[in-house]
């Protein structure tokens, strides 16, 4: 209970909840993502424009000037003992009453010698007297750094009963420090050697839990070998494939073959279809659904967003036009009368394929003859799927699709509970998207290229980082770009805006207008990121490209170049050029993640962020791959001990029970 912590009231609880912190344990495992090191220095010793800590006493009363709404500047002079410097800090007007003449303080910031100006980013009313380490947490606007740190400090003082997941014998084997120490150290590192030990414990713990779950799932799934054999006329399937508007690639054919074998077998299919954006996973999904229908079963295709569900629906209608396959789309924007009808039809087996977002796993939706569930990269440990998958005697096969570019060796480990089909080659006629970085100042060239494409009859995506204006003037938002483009094109081109905060019916209308070529330029946030497929769009312009991770940029770029027409992607940015250059150099998702990783040393290297299960707080699948492999072995070994007598291991039991009920 968070209320156990002194000083935490209802308001703070709401703030903490907004960070997904609901218990003291959540709080203690909310780890810093980096640290600031502070050591007081002398003005004469610090380098120009390098962040430093300077101690001194306040020499003059603080002055405030209000520059514009939401922007004020506080100024005073500080006596460091050897000189008097001018200090400014933005948006700290509230500190004025604390800054009394003669008071000792620390200022943290950068010093400009030529005008004797110290621009502070922080002021400490309690001076920093010796070197100190400050943990930096991902916080949102709801909660102040100082109050978060205070709450964390109090929580760390409490002797909380921590659940221990690493079994005793392994803790001993690896000479781990104890968990409470590990947690204390990660929040308050005492030395870099200690921090290393702490991280080792916590990363091992994270990966051990993960691999234990995978081993457990694998075991449980192997037990499911009594499904009905699904039979179907393979000639009909072949006919369907031959009548597609294109020839399947080799990898697609292999995937279909593997899925076919799974479908016929008595084992539950539990397969991952791995393939970069644009590799053509969707058609494989449709073929699987067709096979499933031929075998006399109903199927579900789940998409991560409503836009994508809608698109899958439209495509499926086309693909199945001349076949007797009944398809329904169920999203939150479907009218309740139609929804009722769909639910009724599903129950009466009148619908063969249900397409929707993950909300189709709703309890009220009953699909009596369910034979196949296809889902995009999603939680394998999710509880909702139990509803369908754990029903006794159910014949449900499961196919997961993922666009996460990971090496096969890693895939085999982290998807160790699944079989894998991989599509490596892209459909033949897709051209490489020409990618180029432009500085803000070069925008005119880009505008001309936009006009050229539109004259040729093609359409453009324009991507911006923000929906709304924020304090950072230099960051574009959908409205600011809309206005700028309208002015640049003299209001002669039809522009539209789409973003995640719109209702889904509105989004759908906008997407349809774009698809029907009624809109020439679609200004969007990353809602367009996943899977949207409009082949007439041949150009993407991304503003403030430095604000996006390369994994995201790669996903975004995958929206163009979806046919044999040459397509273009322009990254507009004045910053972070070295990283963005990787996008110019390659269009291979895996290569991008590799290079990104080499450059930054960390980060969402595999774009794993998108996938629910692998939201590791500390572990990094690449850096910590050796630990992962060790954890695989340790997890499998421990599972055998565990299964002999689960009662002996209550904490681990809690973890595993939350995945699947054990009889
Ligand atoms: P993703 O793997 O990202 O889901 P899609 O399934 O959306 O990729 O496929 C990308 C595009 O390639 C679609 O327009 C699709 O119709 C087309 N496509 C898929 N397979 C082939 C193929 N074998 N030959 C030609 N085009 C294909
Ligand atoms: Mg099967």
């Amino acid at each position: 209970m968070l209320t156990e912590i002194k000083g935490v009231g209802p308001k703070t609880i709401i703030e903490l909840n907004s960070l997904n912190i609901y218990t003291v344990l959540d709080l203690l495992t909310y780890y810093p993502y980096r640290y600031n090191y502070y050591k007081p220095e002398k003005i004469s010793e610090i380098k120009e424009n390098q962040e430093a800590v300077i101690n001194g006493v306040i020499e003059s009363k603080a002055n405030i000037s209000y520059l514009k709404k939401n922007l004020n500047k506080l100024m005073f002079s500080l006596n460091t003992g050897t000189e008097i410097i001018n200090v400014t800090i933005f948006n700290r007007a509230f500190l004025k009453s604390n800054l009394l003449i003669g008071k000792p303080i620390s200022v943290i910031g950068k010093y400009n010698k030529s005008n004797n100006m110290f621009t502070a980013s922080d002021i400490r009313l309690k001076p920093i007297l010796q070197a100190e380490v400050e943990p930096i947490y991902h916080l949102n606007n709801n909660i102040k750094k100082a109050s978060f740190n205070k709450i964390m400090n109090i929580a760390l003082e409490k002797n909380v009963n921590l659940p221990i997941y690493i079994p005793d014998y392994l803790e001993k084997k690896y000479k781990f420090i104890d968990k409470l120490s590990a947690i204390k150290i990660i929040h308050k590192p005492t030395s870099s050697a200690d921090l290393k030990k702490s991280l080792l414990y916590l990363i091992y713990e994270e990966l051990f839990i993960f691999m234990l779950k995978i081993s457990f799932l694998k075991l449980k799934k192997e037990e499911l070998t009594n499904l009905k054999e699904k039979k179907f006329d393979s000639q009909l399937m072949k006919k369907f494939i031959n009548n597609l508007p294109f020839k399947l690639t080799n990898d697609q054919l292999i995937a279909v073959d593997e899925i076919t074998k799974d479908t016929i077998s008595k084992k539950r299919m539990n397969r991952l279809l791995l393939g970069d954006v644009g590799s053509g996973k969707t058609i494989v999904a449709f073929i699987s659904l067709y096979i499933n229908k031929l075998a006399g079963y109903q199927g579900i295709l789940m998409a991560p967003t409503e836009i994508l569900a809608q698109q899958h629906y439209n495509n499926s209608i086309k693909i199945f036009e001349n076949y007797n396959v009944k398809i329904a789309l169920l999203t939150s924007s479907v009218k309740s009368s139609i929804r009722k009808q769909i639910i009724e039809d599903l129950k009466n087996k009148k619908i063969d394929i249900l397409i929707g977002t993950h909300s189709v796993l709703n309890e009220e939706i009953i699909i009596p003859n369910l034979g196949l569930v296809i889902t995009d990269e999603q939680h394998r440990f999710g509880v909702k799927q139990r509803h369908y998958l754990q029903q006794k005697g159910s014949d449900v096969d499961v196919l997961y699709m993922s666009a996460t570019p990971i090496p096969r060796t890693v895939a085999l480990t982290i998807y160790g509970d699944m079989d894998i089909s991989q599509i490596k080659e892209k459909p033949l006629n897709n051209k490489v998207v020409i990618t180029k970085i432009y500085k803000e100042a070069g925008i005119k060239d880009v505008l001309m290229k936009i006009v050229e494409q539109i004259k040729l009859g093609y359409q453009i995506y324009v991507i911006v980082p923000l929906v709304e204006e924020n304090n950072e003037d230099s960051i574009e938002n959908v409205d600011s770009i809309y206005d700028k483009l309208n002015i640049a094109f003299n209001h002669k081109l039809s522009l539209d805006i789409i973003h995640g905060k719109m209702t889904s019916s509105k989004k759908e209308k906008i997407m349809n207008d774009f698809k029907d070529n009624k809109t020439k330029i679609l200004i969007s946030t990353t809602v367009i990121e996943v899977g949207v497929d409009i082949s007439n769009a041949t150009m993407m312009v991304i503003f403030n490209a430095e604000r996006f991770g390369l994994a995201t940029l790669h996903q975004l770029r995958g929206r163009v170049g979806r046919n044999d027409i040459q397509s273009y992607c322009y990254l507009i940015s004045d910053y972070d050029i070295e990283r963005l250059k990787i996008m110019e150099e390659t269009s291979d998702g895996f290569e991008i993640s590799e290079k990104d990783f080499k450059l930054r040393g960390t980060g969402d290297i595999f774009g794993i962020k998108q996938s629910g299960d692998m939201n590791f707080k500390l572990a990094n699948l690449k850096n910590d791959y050796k630990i992962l492999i060790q954890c695989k072995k340790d997890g499998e070994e421990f599972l055998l001990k565990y299964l002999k007598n689960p009662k002996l291991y209550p904490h681990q039991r809690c973890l595993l029970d939350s995945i699947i009920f054990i009889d």
Side-chain angles (χ1 to χ4, degrees):
M1 289 277 284
L2 285 168
T3 42
E4 285 167 38
I5 303 172
K6 228 175 84 190
V8 172
K11 212 179 125 230
T12 317
I13 288 195
I14 293 171
E15 290 163 0
L16 290 172
N17 290 353
S18 75
L19 297 171
N20 273 329
I21 297 171
Y22 295 93
T23 64
V24 179
L25 189 63
D26 291 342
L27 179 66
L28 290 176
T29 53
Y30 198 84
Y31 305 130
Y33 68 96
R34 66 177 178 88
Y35 304 91
N36 277 342
Y37 297 88
Y38 297 118
K39 196 173 107 226
E41 289 180 88
K42 293 202 173 76
I43 280 283
S44 55
E45 286 166 4
I46 63 176
K47 290 203 189 84
E48 187 92 6
N49 280 325
Q50 196 170 329
E51 185 141 294
V53 179
I54 299 293
N55 288 342
V57 296
I58 294 172
E59 180 77 16
S60 74
K61 230 173 78 186
N63 265 319
I64 301 173
S65 46
Y66 291 91
L67 304 173
K68 57 180 180 176
K69 202 179 118 198
N70 295 335
L71 188 65
N72 59 65
K73 188 160 110 176
L74 189 81
M75 285 162 296
F76 57 91
S77 47
L78 187 76
N79 188 337
T80 68
T82 46
E83 58 276 286
I84 291 172
I85 58 173
N86 298 312
V87 178
T88 64
I89 185 163
F90 289 99
N91 284 346
R92 300 291 164 92
F94 59 88
L95 279 181
K96 182 178 157 84
S97 57
N98 291 312
L99 298 175
L100 305 171
I101 293 176
K103 184 177 166 56
I105 60 165
S106 296
V107 291
I108 301 164
K110 292 174 184 171
Y111 181 61
N112 184 324
K113 203 170 175 179
S114 62
N115 57 5
N116 189 28
M117 184 65 79
F118 192 91
T119 309
S121 56
D122 201 6
I123 291 181
R124 297 294 183 83
L125 299 172
K126 221 167 107 194
I128 297 166
L129 296 176
Q130 43 193 303
E132 77 173 44
V133 185
E134 181 193 27
I136 306 294
Y137 300 91
H138 283 297
L139 302 178
N140 54 30
N141 292 332
N142 297 330
I143 188 155
K144 283 218 176 66
K145 196 166 94 175
S147 67
F148 184 86
N149 288 349
K150 205 166 123 195
I151 294 165
M152 184 64 85
N153 281 339
I154 299 170
L156 285 169
E157 291 305 310
K158 289 174 76 76
N159 272 331
V160 182
N161 219 340
L162 296 168
I164 308 289
Y165 299 115
I166 307 175
D168 243 4
Y169 70 94
L170 287 173
E171 279 195 345
K172 286 202 186 93
K173 176 178 168 191
Y174 295 117
K175 301 196 173 70
F176 281 140
I177 56 174
D178 66 289
K179 184 166 176 178
L180 187 61
S181 307
I183 285 186
K184 284 188 170 163
I185 290 166
I186 194 169
H187 292 289
K188 302 235 161 298
T190 32
S191 72
S192 59
D194 284 349
L195 183 59
K196 246 190 188 152
K197 284 185 203 155
S198 153
L199 283 172
L200 193 62
Y201 183 98
L202 296 171
I203 289 172
Y204 180 93
E205 181 191 51
E206 218 169 27
L207 293 174
F208 177 77
I209 290 173
F210 181 73
M211 285 315 304
L212 180 61
K213 285 182 179 177
I214 297 279
S215 310
F216 183 71
L217 273 182
K218 187 168 181 220
L219 202 87
K220 285 282 141 193
K221 286 171 180 173
E222 275 165 6
E223 286 171 4
L224 293 166
T225 54
N226 55 350
L227 267 68
K228 261 196 224 121
E229 290 174 42
K230 291 176 183 153
K231 294 199 184 105
F232 64 92
D233 183 347
S234 63
Q235 286 310 315
L236 289 176
M237 174 186 92
K238 282 191 188 127
K239 218 171 117 194
F240 180 74
I241 292 177
N242 286 336
N243 285 335
L244 288 174
F246 43 71
K247 214 171 147 264
L248 291 187
T249 63
N250 234 356
D251 285 349
Q252 283 173 323
L253 282 170
I254 293 170
V256 168
D257 189 49
E258 287 167 336
I259 290 165
T260 308
K261 287 196 178 117
D262 284 354
T263 308
I264 319 175
S265 95
K266 287 185 162 194
K267 254 177 79 177
R268 166 170 293 164
M269 169 159 71
N270 188 45
R271 181 168 293 279
L272 175 70
L273 180 58
L274 205 56
D276 205 352
V277 275
S279 61
K281 295 184 293 295
T282 316
I283 193 67
V284 176
F286 287 158
I287 295 169
S288 313
L289 286 163
Y290 186 58
I291 295 173
N292 181 61
K293 137 90 187 170
L294 287 178
Y297 287 86
Q298 297 168 287
I300 302 181
L301 173 58
M302 284 185 288
T305 65
E306 298 216 349
I307 294 181
L308 205 53
Q310 176 75 45
Q311 183 183 290
H312 282 333
Y313 178 72
N314 298 345
N315 285 337
S316 66
I317 293 288
K318 263 189 244 150
I319 292 280
F320 290 113
E321 198 180 351
N322 299 316
Y323 299 83
N324 181 25
V325 178
K326 275 176 236 79
I327 308 164
L329 174 71
L330 203 55
T331 62
S332 61
S333 49
V334 168
K335 271 198 226 122
S336 72
S337 58
I338 296 178
R339 184 184 168 84
K340 261 196 196 133
Q341 187 60 50
I342 292 176
I343 292 177
E344 194 58 33
D345 287 351
L346 282 166
K347 221 188 270 172
N348 297 326
K349 307 182 192 174
K350 283 190 193 155
I351 290 173
D352 300 312
I353 299 175
L354 175 66
I355 298 178
T357 56
H358 292 262
S359 65
V360 303
L361 290 180
N362 196 306
E363 307 272 337
E364 64 169 327
I365 298 168
I366 294 162
I367 306 177
N369 219 6
L370 189 64
L372 175 64
V373 174
I374 304 183
T375 166
D376 276 286
E377 191 149 21
Q378 271 297 326
H379 304 250
R380 265 174 298 165
F381 307 140
V383 276
K384 275 190 177 165
Q385 294 183 0
R386 275 189 216 149
H387 164 57
Y388 283 129
L389 306 181
Q390 291 306 301
Q391 284 165 8
K392 284 226 161 62
S394 90
D395 295 320
V396 183
D397 285 319
V398 187
L399 179 67
Y400 299 83
M401 299 200 287
S402 169
T404 304
I406 44 174
R408 198 173 167 84
T409 44
V410 181
L412 286 173
T413 310
I414 61 180
Y415 298 109
D417 57 323
M418 298 190 217
D419 298 312
I420 298 179
S421 297
Q422 194 166 9
I423 308 184
K424 279 197 204 127
E425 52 178 334
K426 295 207 176 167
L428 301 168
N429 45 3
N430 281 8
K431 285 210 175 113
V432 168
V433 178
I434 295 177
T435 303
K436 210 165 162 351
I437 303 168
Y438 278 89
K439 298 235 157 159
E440 198 86 51
I443 191 72
K444 271 227 169 86
D445 290 344
V446 176
L447 294 178
M448 305 236 290
K449 286 176 191 295
I450 291 180
V451 174
E452 268 169 35
Q453 286 297 299
I454 289 177
K455 275 191 183 151
L456 290 170
Y458 301 129
Q459 291 161 280
I460 321 280
Y461 292 111
V462 170
I463 309 293
V464 289
L466 300 173
V467 177
E468 286 155 354
E469 199 181 339
N470 78 351
N471 301 338
E472 298 170 78
D473 283 341
S474 58
I475 307 300
E476 299 291 359
N477 62 71
V478 286
D479 293 327
S480 67
I481 283 294
Y482 183 84
D483 293 342
K484 282 181 191 173
L485 290 181
N486 256 332
I487 291 168
F489 297 128
N490 235 335
H491 295 270
K492 281 191 179 132
L493 296 178
S494 54
L495 313 179
D496 212 342
I497 293 177
I498 190 167
H499 58 73
K501 289 188 180 169
M502 292 172 165
T503 62
S504 41
S505 57
K506 190 156 184 209
K507 277 190 280 196
E508 193 185 310
K509 183 177 179 309
I510 293 166
M511 283 316 292
N512 284 336
D513 283 351
F514 192 61
K515 192 150 200 164
D516 298 342
N517 205 347
K518 286 185 195 151
T519 315
K520 292 294 172 190
I521 301 179
L522 185 60
I523 302 167
S524 168
T525 55
T526 50
V527 287
I528 223 76
E529 180 182 339
V530 246
V532 170
D533 185 14
I534 296 176
S535 55
N536 196 50
T538 55
M539 185 179 282
M540 175 173 278
V541 180
I542 304 177
F543 282 90
N544 293 113
E546 77 280 356
R547 302 278 294 200
F548 299 98
L550 292 191
T552 305
L553 289 175
H554 177 63
Q555 288 278 346
L556 284 168
R557 184 171 59 181
R559 300 311 106 223
V560 293
R562 298 184 75 83
N563 50 24
D564 51 357
I565 309 159
Q566 182 59 58
S567 293
Y568 304 88
C569 175
Y570 296 125
L571 307 172
I572 316 293
S573 181
D574 287 345
Y575 311 95
D576 215 3
I577 303 300
E578 199 189 343
R579 187 172 65 93
L580 294 176
K581 274 221 162 85
I582 297 172
M583 297 297 295
E584 284 185 341
E585 288 158 10
T586 175
S587 56
D588 178 309
F590 179 59
E591 205 177 321
I592 290 174
S593 63
E594 287 268 298
K595 288 191 169 172
D596 191 20
F597 172 69
K598 275 198 194 123
L599 196 66
R600 292 196 299 175
T602 148
D604 59 332
I605 51 156
F606 299 127
I608 282 285
K609 230 172 42 190
Q610 310 164 18
S611 100
D613 299 332
M614 277 167 276
N615 263 328
F616 297 123
K617 289 179 179 172
L618 297 168
N620 174 306
L621 291 182
K622 182 140 188 177
N623 279 349
D624 306 318
Y625 190 60
K626 277 199 184 130
I627 302 180
L628 181 74
I629 294 299
Q630 191 60 50
C631 286
K632 178 174 150 72
K633 198 164 152 269
D634 292 343
E636 283 165 0
E637 252 172 48
F638 170 70
L639 188 62
L640 296 179
K641 288 188 211 292
Y642 168 85
L643 289 171
K644 279 189 194 132
N645 196 350
K647 283 194 191 117
L648 289 181
Y649 309 96
H651 292 308
Q652 289 92 339
R653 191 178 188 192
C654 223
L655 279 183
L656 297 179
D657 277 359
S658 72
I659 309 176
I660 297 178
F661 293 117
I662 306 169
D663 294 334

